Amino acid sequence: SQRAPVTMVKATPAGTLYAFLAGGGLMKAEEPLGQLAPVSAGFGESFVTFLAPHPTDPSKLFAATHKGKILASHDGGKTWRPFDGGKS
């Protein structure tokens, strides 16, 4: 079987591993590293190319897509909205 391409991998200081699989969405594994579990598939045709977890609040994540959009999540990556610079 052929695996989906991975476009991004990010490890946090707390030991959480995030990966974005094309066609599969954002995945996450906790320490000790186990199986990647789905977090969100709500990216449509976009690929996440960069992920920045908030330094003190693990529920906040920021992502950049290959289409030049910046997205923000306030629920650990389950849902995403366009980043508004902290206005909402």
Side-chain angles (χ1 to χ4, degrees):
S1 76
Q2 189 173 7
R3 292 180 180 239
V6 176
T7 64
M8 181 279 314
V9 174
K10 174 75 177 182
T12 69
T16 302
L17 178 72
Y18 291 96
F20 188 85
L21 282 67
L26 186 65
M27 310 291 276
K28 172 176 145 177
E30 301 283 349
E31 280 283 347
L33 290 179
Q35 292 282 338
L36 286 169
V39 176
S40 175
F43 292 93
E45 297 295 316
S46 293
F47 298 163
V48 171
T49 56
F50 184 81
L51 185 79
H54 189 279
T56 59
D57 185 347
S59 69
K60 293 181 181 179
L61 302 169
F62 304 93
T65 72
H66 80 289
K67 293 184 176 183
K69 294 186 179 185
I70 299 175
L71 306 173
S73 173
H74 296 279
D75 59 8
K78 293 177 187 152
T79 60
W80 294 88
R81 298 188 329 209
F83 178 68
D84 65 4
K87 296 176 186 160
S88 63

